[in-house]
Amino acid sequence: MKVAAIFINLAYFLLLAPFLEGVMRKLTARIQSRQGPPLYQPYLDLLKLLGKENIVSSKNWAFRLAPLLAFSSMLAVVLLVPLAGAENLLSHSSDLMTLIYLLTLSGFSILVGALASGNPFAGVGASREMMTIIMLEPVLAMTLILGAVKSESFTISSALSGIGRNHGFSYFLMLVVYLLALQAFVSRQPFDIPEAEVEILEGPYVEYSGPNYALFRYTLNIKRMFYAWLFVVSFLNFVPSGNFWLKLLLETAGILILFVLISVIGATHPRFRIDQAIKYYTLLVVLSLIAIGLGVKGW
Amino acid sequence: MWLWNKLKQLAISLRAGVVTLHYPFEPRPAPAGFRGQPVWDHTKCIGCAGCANHCPARTIFLRDICQEVRILLYDSARCTYCGRCVDLCPEKAITMSDKFELATDNRQDLTQAIELFMMTCQRCGRCYDLEIKNYIDRLTLLGYRYDSLEVRKVIKKSTSEFQPEMLEKTATYQRPERLEK
Amino acid sequence: MAKKEELRELLKAELKDDFIGEELAGERRLFVDVHNRALVKTAEILMKQGARYQVGVGYESRKGGRGLALVHTFAFDNDALIVIVRTFAPEDNPEFDSLTPIIPGAGWSERECIDLLGFRFKNHPGPKRLVLSDDWPEGIYPLRHDVPHDLMPPATRDVVFRLEQPPPGTSIVPFGPFHSSLHEPAHFSVYVDGENIKGCEYRGFMTHRGIEKLAQTELTYNDVPFVAERICGICGSVHSVNYAQAVEAAAGIKISRRAEFIRVVMLELERLHSHLLWLGVAGHLIGFDTVFMQAWRIRERIMWLAERLTGNRKTYGMVIVGGVRRDINKEKAEDIKQVLKEVEREMLSLEKAIINDKTIHKRTRGVGYLSKEDALKWNLIGPVARARGIAIDARKDHPYAAYDELEFEVPVVDYGDVWGTLVVRVKEVYEAINIIRQCLNKMPADGPLAIDLDAPIPSGRQALSVVEAPRGEAVHYVLTGEENKPERWRVRAPTYANLQAVPEMLMNNKLADFPIIVGSIDPCISCTDRVVVIEIGLQKIKVMRKEELETISRKMRFEG
Ligand code: SF4
Ligand code: SF4
């Protein structure tokens, strides 16, 4: 079962992630009074990209390595997590640090790829991405640490279930912080600043095409799904553990609802500038620190 | 305040519903009076060259291959669908159709050619003289035109300047490469 | 009228012998011929009198042996007067004094004359190439009469436009020639320090189509309106009306009042759709695509209305010299009223939803700020000027068509930033709706659509016409010629004036704001470049295979 769970994880995230993007696109389209693409469009897009020529525009080896690294570390992340409360073989032998480390590695590879491409737009995108990582990783780390503090354990599953152990001040504060940071985690408006199509033409990805770009897209899709999933399991774990499939279904429903929220907010906001976003992130970091403080106090 | 604004924005969107169409599966017909591709009626055309002389895009070509036969060629590739040809045709031989989906990989699909049998006025030697009231619309050219139908180039020459060699020249008309001094 | 007399007397007195002649064309225009050496002095006098520089036109006069001529036009907006200063130079020595040192807005007009006609300007600060492509051979001036309109010099490969070096401590981010926030080809090389813009160099005129040359060689008077309409993809009617007005003024043609009203209706419909288009694009540029889609949804009704009225959603094709082509009858008027009612309602709700949106304020307020003084210095026009407290509007200042009979407000705000231009444009939407309604009520019930002409248009006459385009005042200058065609036709699109001030607006803003700042002037690059002669029929098209294209692009990148 523990080995099988790994594959369930893999299949769950790989198969569902593009669909969720489809949901997002359809909803955005509806808010914009458009028909929108069919829900399965992201799968077709990925297939199409995979069939295209891989144009390697930079002689730097990091350029080729970056998409692979980003994708594989993101995959590693989703392999580690206890889906529907079921621990698998890998989540046993890892802890929170592994998770945070892998997540950062994924973001970091995008950055490396962008810098290796030598494109000025990618450069601007990379610098924005860097600032975003620096400001946002702490918020994520604090969320997980709050769980660790509450459950007094550093394993992934106990930390995740620890956040919602008691619904004190720290829980609510962290919930608000996480929700406020969610748009930034999934890089949608108003915080899709590193990609900002009209200014810097998808920033870090500007030189990528074909399969390389498909990997990046896939990474982004899985990343979005992961952050939504993380919210659902850590803040909304009211369902008592029992049937694995039932729980999985509920989690999926949670993710879907969250994606609706993300799409609606994304479609009704302009993009912020990086300097405005940084101020906002700083506030979030401070708030999450307070939440940890409260958590340590046991509130 | 913020939430209220966002709700208002959402309300606008939702009230409007979905407005885009399943085009091209769901056709959208053009309204009456639409200026689509012009269509020539060869039974009405008298070969006066009014349309050719006033097409702003110069996309209607005319060649008199002999005294009696005039060829009118419409090459839609450059047509701007302005409808001037329709306005100026004295015989109402042209109509603006409602065709606008004109993409094709064969240029011949878009061209229309008419061969016209011409009769000459015994007195002046010209074919027609048209009384258009507006001076600036009055036909600028009467008589022959030797447009190159091969490379689709307007070559304006009136009767008095006619030389038979011109016919050969038009087949291989070249754009001037250098400034001739 | 007093102003006109006053200026005439003043110029005569100050210039003495250098004042060669004058032509009193109607009440609102004053043509003066001055001697070459007194050009700067004349300009100084006029500017001191409160003039606003409009445009410089160069031409080669075919007849009269006057050689090459340079025309500068100055508008007195408070007195509904435009002074046109003409000066001449012999063909073998076409040298003029540059006005750029005293009027920065004249810089482009003069550079254009250098490129297209081979003029030389004394004291011009930067006589770099502006209009012609970089591989165009030296010494061939396209607007000279001896150059054929379809001249195609062989292309060379290794000539490039030399961009300036960036100031120390900054790096270049290239916006263009193709960039998703520029909807047409133009090149801004933006100097940035981190995210801060420290300067910018502009290179445009990549879509120079040679329209003016075409009109002077191949086309006839009534072909030009249709080509003029295609100068701009958004405000086409502005150019066709403007051209027609200029020709009518030159020829002394008086068109029917009804035709004038119909022209106004079309112009205002165009303004409506243009402003809604802008609102959408502005939303897109700050990453707010819902505003983009919703504004364009509302705009679509106007496009369909135009399709029903004129037969095409955008290129109306309504205007010819002497009038208009299609009528607006009772039925169509009802249709217009109905659509306007819906558009007004939808617009009100859209306005309510966005005007207080703090997130939009965050991205537009204080962005692209330019003070009123700077705006005056650069002779800004249109909503860009009106957002900076300058109340200018050609519809009020130099009424044309039927605007003298219509009542409307000119919205002016003094925010001086992108937000200001948004507010002005939104208000103008309601004004446009109001104007169209008035037109439909006041339009005389009868009158010919187009009048008949029984004599050719005399040659050698000159006229200038202005029309307030959605982006500001557009100026057309026409010199009538022989053979039923204009001898010189000069178009100055509003963006031509506004674009010159963009580098200054960009200064010290964030890189992320670049798109919306450039967007705020609603740049219409094709109007500005207006003028590559395309002869599809003759072009030898070499079809490149994909591999070839790729090798070329790669080679260029690695070499360069
Ligand atoms: S519609 Fe206009 S462009 Fe087309 S053929 Fe007729 S006159 Fe020429
Ligand atoms: S204007 Fe009419 S009648 Fe004359 S040539 Fe053209 S189609 Fe024929």
Side-chain angles (χ1 to χ4, degrees):
Chain A
M1 184 59 208
K2 290 210 161 157
V3 178
I6 300 180
F7 291 102
I8 293 179
N9 266 13
L10 195 62
Y12 181 66
F13 278 96
L14 277 181
L15 291 180
L16 210 57
F19 171 77
L20 288 171
E21 188 191 315
V23 171
M24 205 147 80
R25 282 164 71 171
K26 193 85 185 174
L27 268 169
T28 310
R30 283 298 150 104
I31 292 173
Q32 296 172 353
S33 300
R34 291 184 286 128
Q35 304 256 359
L39 290 173
Y40 53 81
Q41 187 66 36
Y43 297 98
L44 299 183
D45 286 354
L46 286 175
L47 277 179
K48 183 187 76 183
L49 283 172
L50 285 175
K52 296 225 167 205
E53 192 198 356
N54 220 348
I55 295 175
V56 179
S57 62
S58 162
K59 289 182 181 142
N60 199 326
W61 52 269
F63 183 82
R64 285 159 178 267
L65 190 65
L68 294 172
L69 200 61
F71 187 63
S72 49
S73 44
M74 202 62 227
L75 276 191
V77 169
V78 300
L79 290 185
L80 291 183
V81 296
L83 195 61
E87 293 216 16
N88 64 28
L89 197 65
L90 292 173
S91 45
H92 265 306
S93 48
S94 51
D95 60 12
L96 279 185
M97 281 304 131
T98 331
L99 192 75
I100 294 174
Y101 165 79
L102 284 170
L103 266 175
T104 319
L105 183 63
S106 170
F108 187 68
S109 352
I110 297 177
L111 228 153
V112 168
L115 290 175
S117 71
N119 184 304
F121 293 112
V124 176
S127 90
R128 291 179 181 185
E129 182 87 43
M130 183 138 65
M131 286 191 247
T132 313
I133 292 180
I134 293 173
M135 299 307 288
L136 274 181
E137 281 316 293
V139 179
L140 178 77
M142 296 302 165
T143 313
L144 296 171
I145 289 172
L146 180 71
V149 165
K150 280 186 166 183
S151 64
E152 296 175 349
S153 154
F154 237 61
T155 60
I156 298 177
S157 46
S158 50
L160 288 184
S161 57
I163 298 174
R165 176 160 298 175
N166 56 358
H167 297 165
F169 283 128
S170 61
Y171 167 82
F172 284 111
L173 187 54
M174 206 44 130
L175 181 126
V176 170
V177 169
Y178 195 97
L179 272 182
L180 289 178
L182 190 60
Q183 288 304 109
F185 284 145
V186 299
S187 63
R188 286 292 285 181
Q189 271 109 337
F191 299 110
D192 60 338
I193 308 164
E195 285 98 53
E197 177 233 330
V198 282
E199 301 148 23
I200 51 171
L201 319 162
E202 302 290 333
Y205 312 119
V206 65
E207 287 287 337
Y208 282 99
S209 57
N212 273 344
Y213 183 57
L215 284 181
F216 272 136
R217 280 228 72 88
Y218 220 158
T219 314
L220 190 65
N221 287 347
I222 299 177
K223 189 172 120 189
R224 284 180 175 157
M225 184 173 168
F226 170 76
Y227 278 111
W229 174 84
L230 194 67
F231 181 82
V232 174
V233 290
S234 48
F235 292 101
L236 308 177
N237 56 350
F238 309 115
V239 226
S241 48
N243 188 330
F244 172 80
W245 298 109
L246 179 70
K247 198 152 181 196
L248 192 62
L249 200 71
L250 285 173
E251 277 179 12
T252 316
I255 295 177
L256 263 174
I257 293 171
L258 222 52
F259 262 79
V260 172
L261 188 72
I262 294 172
S263 319
V264 171
I265 294 182
T268 50
H269 283 82
R271 184 181 307 111
F272 284 158
R273 278 200 311 259
I274 188 77
D275 53 328
Q276 293 164 342
I278 296 281
K279 278 187 206 139
Y280 179 82
Y281 297 156
T282 317
L283 183 73
L284 293 184
V285 173
V286 172
L287 284 179
S288 59
L289 275 173
I290 295 173
I292 295 275
L294 293 172
V296 171
K297 283 262 180 193
W299 284 344
Chain B
M1 195 60 220
W2 162 80
L3 195 64
W4 182 234
N5 260 313
K6 296 298 152 195
L7 288 176
K8 268 196 271 187
Q9 284 163 13
L10 276 180
I12 294 179
S13 305
L14 298 179
R15 207 176 321 131
V18 175
V19 294
T20 50
L21 304 177
H22 259 298
Y23 186 83
F25 306 107
E26 213 175 278
R28 182 181 172 258
F34 182 74
R35 301 197 315 261
Q37 189 182 30
V39 177
W40 269 254
D41 180 348
H42 67 100
T43 55
K44 288 190 188 156
C45 176
I46 52 168
C48 69
C51 52
N53 285 338
H54 288 282
C55 168
R58 301 278 182 268
T59 195
I60 305 171
F61 306 94
L62 216 65
R63 162 96 72 92
D64 289 325
I65 51 173
C66 62
Q67 184 73 2
E68 270 82 38
V69 180
R70 168 168 276 193
I71 294 182
L72 184 145
L73 177 87
Y74 160 73
D75 175 6
S76 155
R78 215 160 57 194
C79 180
T80 59
Y81 313 104
C82 64
R84 276 293 275 173
C85 47
V86 178
D87 284 5
L88 284 158
C89 175
E91 297 298 310
K92 304 271 165 280
I94 319 173
T95 35
M96 292 307 262
S97 68
D98 59 357
K99 280 199 290 181
F100 62 94
E101 292 151 317
L102 298 171
T104 173
D105 52 5
N106 184 359
R107 192 173 180 169
Q108 287 307 321
D109 293 351
L110 298 177
T111 51
Q112 292 168 45
I114 333 178
E115 268 176 49
L116 299 158
F117 183 72
M118 308 292 285
M119 282 204 289
T120 330
C121 164
Q122 293 301 316
R123 209 150 14 126
C124 66
R126 290 171 183 159
C127 298
Y128 294 100
D129 192 0
L130 281 167
E131 246 339 286
I132 289 187
K133 283 178 292 176
N134 208 337
Y135 204 93
I136 47 179
D137 276 345
R138 195 168 287 168
L139 305 186
T140 44
L141 193 88
L142 297 165
Y144 295 98
R145 268 178 66 171
Y146 298 100
D147 297 351
S148 168
L149 303 184
E150 293 74 15
V151 289
R152 315 252 158 113
K153 158 83 189 168
V154 171
I155 299 170
K156 282 188 174 172
K157 285 284 172 287
S158 59
T159 332
S160 53
E161 296 163 64
F162 172 66
Q163 279 144 22
E165 304 86 70
M166 269 170 178
L167 271 180
E168 278 98 69
K169 244 176 136 184
T170 57
T172 53
Y173 179 82
Q174 286 275 334
R175 180 196 288 261
E177 283 274 320
R178 277 177 310 106
L179 187 60
E180 288 159 41
K181 272 274 175 189
Chain C
M1 257 346 71
K3 187 78 180 174
K4 186 170 173 178
E5 284 306 311
E6 187 192 320
L7 281 174
R8 239 179 90 203
E9 294 308 321
L10 183 71
L11 285 175
K12 263 190 189 151
E14 291 269 336
L15 296 175
K16 302 189 186 79
D17 285 351
D18 292 338
F19 190 94
I20 302 175
E22 62 186 343
E23 197 183 305
L24 307 167
E27 288 177 359
R28 302 202 189 118
R29 305 281 185 271
L30 172 63
F31 289 83
V32 291
D33 295 345
V34 303
H35 197 283
N36 203 334
R37 60 180 174 250
L39 183 58
V40 175
K41 195 173 167 195
T42 317
E44 268 168 352
I45 297 170
L46 291 172
M47 290 308 272
K48 222 174 270 157
Q49 291 291 315
R52 176 175 58 83
Y53 180 80
Q54 279 181 313
V55 64
V57 188
Y59 65 89
E60 183 185 0
S61 44
R62 215 188 296 254
K63 278 204 310 190
R66 296 239 247 180
L68 297 163
L70 178 67
V71 180
H72 285 292
T73 73
F74 298 86
F76 290 87
D77 295 323
N78 296 331
D79 310 285
L81 175 69
I82 296 175
V83 179
I84 296 127
V85 179
R86 291 184 296 210
T87 177
F88 302 89
E91 209 155 323
D92 45 3
N93 183 27
E95 189 168 61
F96 298 91
D97 290 320
S98 170
L99 293 187
T100 317
I102 55 167
I103 309 165
W108 278 17
S109 287
E110 293 184 347
R111 279 163 75 183
E112 202 177 309
C113 288
I114 302 176
D115 279 9
L116 299 179
L117 282 148
F119 289 6
R120 287 193 307 276
F121 287 95
K122 261 187 274 175
N123 304 329
H124 194 289
K128 253 183 149 180
R129 217 168 234 208
L130 180 72
V131 179
L132 294 178
S133 74
D134 300 306
D135 58 356
W136 186 269
E138 289 289 336
I140 297 182
Y141 306 112
L143 278 186
R144 295 274 185 106
H145 288 312
D146 52 0
V147 179
H149 79 281
D150 53 356
L151 175 80
M152 205 163 62
T156 43
R157 296 194 88 224
D158 39 3
V159 186
V160 288
F161 185 74
R162 292 268 158 236
L163 290 167
E164 310 277 339
Q165 285 297 317
T170 61
S171 51
I172 292 184
V173 177
F175 278 88
F178 299 101
H179 186 279
S180 61
S181 70
L182 305 166
H183 305 287
E184 292 165 273
H187 186 105
F188 291 86
S189 87
V190 181
Y191 310 139
V192 295
D193 172 14
E195 286 262 339
N196 296 319
I197 300 179
K198 291 290 171 208
C200 141
E201 189 187 349
Y202 172 77
R203 169 73 171 138
F205 292 87
M206 292 172 186
T207 47
H208 186 77
R209 282 168 289 169
I211 287 179
E212 286 170 3
K213 178 76 181 175
L214 204 59
Q216 287 154 221
T217 50
E218 281 289 283
L219 302 178
T220 58
Y221 279 120
N222 254 347
D223 294 336
V224 180
F226 302 94
V227 178
E229 195 157 44
R230 282 159 179 84
I231 287 177
C232 180
I234 300 165
C235 50
S237 262
V238 165
H239 292 291
S240 54
V241 168
N242 216 343
Y243 161 82
Q245 282 180 2
V247 173
E248 284 151 13
I253 304 170
K254 181 95 186 71
I255 70 167
S256 81
R257 195 69 183 157
R258 186 174 174 81
E260 286 187 333
F261 270 103
I262 295 177
R263 283 183 181 180
V264 172
V265 171
M266 294 327 291
L267 286 174
E268 292 302 322
L269 275 181
E270 201 162 69
R271 190 181 321 277
L272 265 180
H273 98 76
S274 174
H275 280 349
L276 281 167
L277 173 133
W278 181 83
L279 188 61
V281 170
H284 175 64
L285 292 179
I286 57 171
F288 201 162
D289 282 348
T290 303
V291 170
F292 172 39
M293 293 295 169
Q294 296 303 340
W296 281 40
R297 176 176 59 77
I298 302 174
R299 169 180 181 260
E300 199 58 25
R301 288 187 196 280
I302 300 162
M303 306 310 278
W304 287 341
L305 172 68
E307 199 176 27
R308 293 194 293 271
L309 291 177
T310 70
N312 202 307
R313 47 189 277 131
K314 179 64 240 357
T315 37
Y316 302 150
M318 283 287 264
V319 181
I320 48 170
V321 175
V324 292
R325 288 170 65 202
R326 289 198 189 187
D327 194 12
I328 295 181
N329 54 22
K330 272 246 165 53
E331 225 169 83
K332 284 183 170 164
E334 278 313 307
D335 191 8
I336 298 178
K337 279 182 189 155
Q338 189 57 34
V339 173
L340 287 184
K341 208 163 93 194
E342 284 164 23
V343 169
E344 191 175 30
R345 181 177 55 77
E346 296 244 34
M347 190 62 207
L348 274 169
S349 65
L350 183 68
E351 185 197 339
K352 271 195 217 135
I354 62 170
I355 214 86
N356 288 322
D357 189 334
K358 286 281 179 308
T359 49
I360 295 179
H361 291 186
K362 261 191 146 45
R363 284 302 308 274
T364 50
R365 286 211 148 158
V367 170
Y369 181 81
L370 205 66
S371 68
K372 185 172 176 179
E373 288 67 46
D374 285 335
L376 282 171
K377 184 185 87 186
W378 283 102
N379 297 317
L380 294 190
I381 45 181
V384 189
R386 294 198 280 275
R388 289 170 174 88
I390 306 171
I392 79 170
D393 188 326
R395 293 174 293 175
K396 269 257 189 297
D397 301 338
H398 309 278
Y400 50 89
Y403 281 112
D404 47 359
E405 217 178 288
L406 300 165
E407 285 152 28
F408 58 96
E409 298 278 316
V410 179
V412 179
V413 296
D414 50 8
Y415 299 118
D417 51 13
V418 175
W419 176 249
T421 59
L422 186 143
V423 172
V424 166
R425 288 193 173 102
V426 168
K427 285 187 182 161
E428 278 182 19
V429 166
Y430 301 119
E431 286 306 322
I433 294 177
N434 167 23
I435 292 176
I436 301 175
R437 285 192 180 135
Q438 283 183 45
C439 281
L440 296 179
N441 292 338
K442 291 186 179 169
M443 191 151 61
D446 47 4
L449 288 180
I451 55 153
D452 298 336
L453 252 71
D454 34 21
I457 292 175
S459 73
R461 302 249 193 112
Q462 304 194 2
L464 173 135
S465 159
V466 292
V467 165
E468 182 75 12
R471 293 153 181 72
E473 167 208 53
V475 182
H476 281 227
Y477 193 88
V478 166
L479 163 65
T480 60
E482 307 275 323
E483 294 181 348
N484 206 22
K485 68 173 86 147
E487 186 172 334
R488 177 77 171 106
W489 169 48
R490 167 74 157 98
V491 181
R492 205 255 1 225
T495 310
Y496 200 82
N498 285 339
L499 202 56
Q500 301 185 53
V502 164
E504 198 144 327
M505 289 183 205
L506 286 171
M507 233 19 200
N508 294 325
N509 276 286
K510 299 277 179 223
L511 184 63
D513 290 330
F514 172 87
I516 186 66
I517 294 176
V518 174
S520 78
I521 69 162
D522 203 355
C524 182
I525 308 291
S526 66
C527 300
T528 311
D529 298 358
R530 77 214 172 271
V531 236
V532 185
V533 181
I534 311 169
E535 283 242 306
I536 295 168
L538 277 175
Q539 241 161 30
K540 291 201 199 75
I541 300 164
K542 178 166 179 272
V543 182
M544 282 207 185
R545 281 175 304 124
K546 174 167 159 272
E547 294 81 52
E548 274 179 314
L549 274 173
E550 270 168 14
T551 13
I552 288 177
S553 64
R554 277 187 199 149
K555 216 159 68 200
M556 291 196 162
R557 177 139 89 229
F558 286 126
E559 282 165 1

Short mmCIF file of all heavy atoms in Angstrom, two decimals, chain A residues 116-135:
data_model
loop_
_atom_site.label_atom_id
_atom_site.label_comp_id
_atom_site.label_asym_id
_atom_site.label_seq_id
_atom_site.Cartn_x
_atom_site.Cartn_y
_atom_site.Cartn_z
N ALA A 116 20.14 31.94 -17.57
CA ALA A 116 21.00 31.29 -18.56
C ALA A 116 20.61 31.68 -19.98
O ALA A 116 21.42 31.68 -20.89
CB ALA A 116 20.92 29.78 -18.41
N SER A 117 19.34 32.06 -20.17
CA SER A 117 18.92 32.38 -21.53
C SER A 117 19.51 33.70 -22.00
O SER A 117 19.63 33.93 -23.21
CB SER A 117 17.40 32.43 -21.61
OG SER A 117 16.93 33.58 -20.93
N GLY A 118 19.87 34.56 -21.08
CA GLY A 118 20.52 35.80 -21.47
C GLY A 118 19.61 36.82 -22.09
O GLY A 118 20.05 37.84 -22.61
N ASN A 119 18.31 36.57 -22.05
CA ASN A 119 17.37 37.52 -22.62
C ASN A 119 17.08 38.63 -21.60
O ASN A 119 16.89 38.34 -20.43
CB ASN A 119 16.08 36.75 -22.94
CG ASN A 119 15.05 37.59 -23.62
OD1 ASN A 119 14.66 38.64 -23.11
ND2 ASN A 119 14.62 37.15 -24.77
N PRO A 120 17.06 39.90 -22.02
CA PRO A 120 16.81 40.97 -21.05
C PRO A 120 15.45 40.85 -20.36
O PRO A 120 15.33 41.14 -19.18
CB PRO A 120 16.89 42.25 -21.86
CG PRO A 120 16.90 41.85 -23.28
CD PRO A 120 17.38 40.44 -23.35
N PHE A 121 14.43 40.40 -21.09
CA PHE A 121 13.11 40.25 -20.46
C PHE A 121 13.15 39.16 -19.42
O PHE A 121 12.60 39.29 -18.33
CB PHE A 121 12.05 39.91 -21.50
CG PHE A 121 11.79 41.03 -22.46
CD1 PHE A 121 12.15 40.92 -23.78
CD2 PHE A 121 11.21 42.20 -22.02
CE1 PHE A 121 11.93 41.96 -24.66
CE2 PHE A 121 10.99 43.25 -22.90
CZ PHE A 121 11.35 43.12 -24.22
N ALA A 122 13.83 38.03 -19.78
CA ALA A 122 13.96 36.94 -18.82
C ALA A 122 14.72 37.43 -17.60
O ALA A 122 14.41 37.06 -16.47
CB ALA A 122 14.67 35.77 -19.46
N GLY A 123 15.71 38.30 -17.85
CA GLY A 123 16.48 38.87 -16.75
C GLY A 123 15.59 39.62 -15.78
O GLY A 123 15.63 39.40 -14.57
N VAL A 124 14.75 40.51 -16.35
CA VAL A 124 13.84 41.26 -15.49
C VAL A 124 12.90 40.30 -14.78
O VAL A 124 12.67 40.40 -13.57
CB VAL A 124 13.02 42.28 -16.33
CG1 VAL A 124 12.01 42.97 -15.45
CG2 VAL A 124 13.93 43.28 -16.98
N GLY A 125 12.39 39.32 -15.53
CA GLY A 125 11.49 38.33 -14.94
C GLY A 125 12.17 37.59 -13.81
O GLY A 125 11.58 37.37 -12.75
N ALA A 126 13.45 37.21 -14.03
CA ALA A 126 14.18 36.45 -13.01
C ALA A 126 14.35 37.27 -11.75
O ALA A 126 14.17 36.77 -10.64
CB ALA A 126 15.53 36.01 -13.56
N SER A 127 14.66 38.55 -11.93
CA SER A 127 14.87 39.35 -10.73
C SER A 127 13.55 39.50 -9.97
O SER A 127 13.53 39.48 -8.74
CB SER A 127 15.48 40.70 -11.09
OG SER A 127 14.50 41.65 -11.34
N ARG A 128 12.44 39.61 -10.71
CA ARG A 128 11.15 39.68 -10.02
C ARG A 128 10.83 38.36 -9.33
O ARG A 128 10.34 38.33 -8.21
CB ARG A 128 10.04 40.00 -11.02
CG ARG A 128 10.13 41.40 -11.56
CD ARG A 128 9.02 41.63 -12.54
NE ARG A 128 9.07 42.96 -13.11
CZ ARG A 128 8.15 43.43 -13.93
NH1 ARG A 128 7.14 42.67 -14.26
NH2 ARG A 128 8.23 44.65 -14.42
N GLU A 129 11.12 37.25 -10.02
CA GLU A 129 10.87 35.92 -9.47
C GLU A 129 11.65 35.75 -8.18
O GLU A 129 11.15 35.22 -7.19
CB GLU A 129 11.29 34.87 -10.51
CG GLU A 129 11.05 33.45 -10.10
CD GLU A 129 9.63 32.98 -10.44
OE1 GLU A 129 9.17 33.28 -11.55
OE2 GLU A 129 9.02 32.33 -9.59
N MET A 130 12.92 36.22 -8.23
CA MET A 130 13.79 36.08 -7.06
C MET A 130 13.18 36.79 -5.87
O MET A 130 13.06 36.24 -4.78
CB MET A 130 15.15 36.67 -7.40
CG MET A 130 16.17 36.54 -6.31
SD MET A 130 17.73 36.09 -7.03
CE MET A 130 18.07 37.56 -7.99
N MET A 131 12.76 38.07 -6.12
CA MET A 131 12.17 38.83 -5.02
C MET A 131 10.94 38.11 -4.49
O MET A 131 10.72 38.05 -3.27
CB MET A 131 11.80 40.22 -5.50
CG MET A 131 13.01 41.11 -5.67
SD MET A 131 12.51 42.80 -5.92
CE MET A 131 13.03 43.06 -7.59
N THR A 132 10.15 37.57 -5.40
CA THR A 132 8.93 36.88 -4.97
C THR A 132 9.28 35.67 -4.13
O THR A 132 8.67 35.43 -3.08
CB THR A 132 8.11 36.45 -6.19
OG1 THR A 132 8.04 37.56 -7.09
CG2 THR A 132 6.73 36.03 -5.80
N ILE A 133 10.28 34.89 -4.57
CA ILE A 133 10.66 33.70 -3.80
C ILE A 133 11.13 34.10 -2.41
O ILE A 133 10.70 33.54 -1.40
CB ILE A 133 11.77 32.91 -4.53
CG1 ILE A 133 11.22 32.30 -5.82
CG2 ILE A 133 12.34 31.82 -3.64
CD1 ILE A 133 12.23 31.51 -6.60
N ILE A 134 11.98 35.12 -2.38
CA ILE A 134 12.53 35.55 -1.09
C ILE A 134 11.43 35.98 -0.14
O ILE A 134 11.44 35.68 1.05
CB ILE A 134 13.53 36.70 -1.30
CG1 ILE A 134 14.76 36.19 -2.05
CG2 ILE A 134 13.96 37.30 0.03
CD1 ILE A 134 15.71 37.26 -2.44
N MET A 135 10.41 36.66 -0.67
CA MET A 135 9.36 37.16 0.20
C MET A 135 8.30 36.12 0.51
O MET A 135 7.65 36.19 1.55
CB MET A 135 8.67 38.39 -0.43
CG MET A 135 9.55 39.56 -0.68
SD MET A 135 10.47 40.08 0.75
CE MET A 135 9.18 40.79 1.74
#
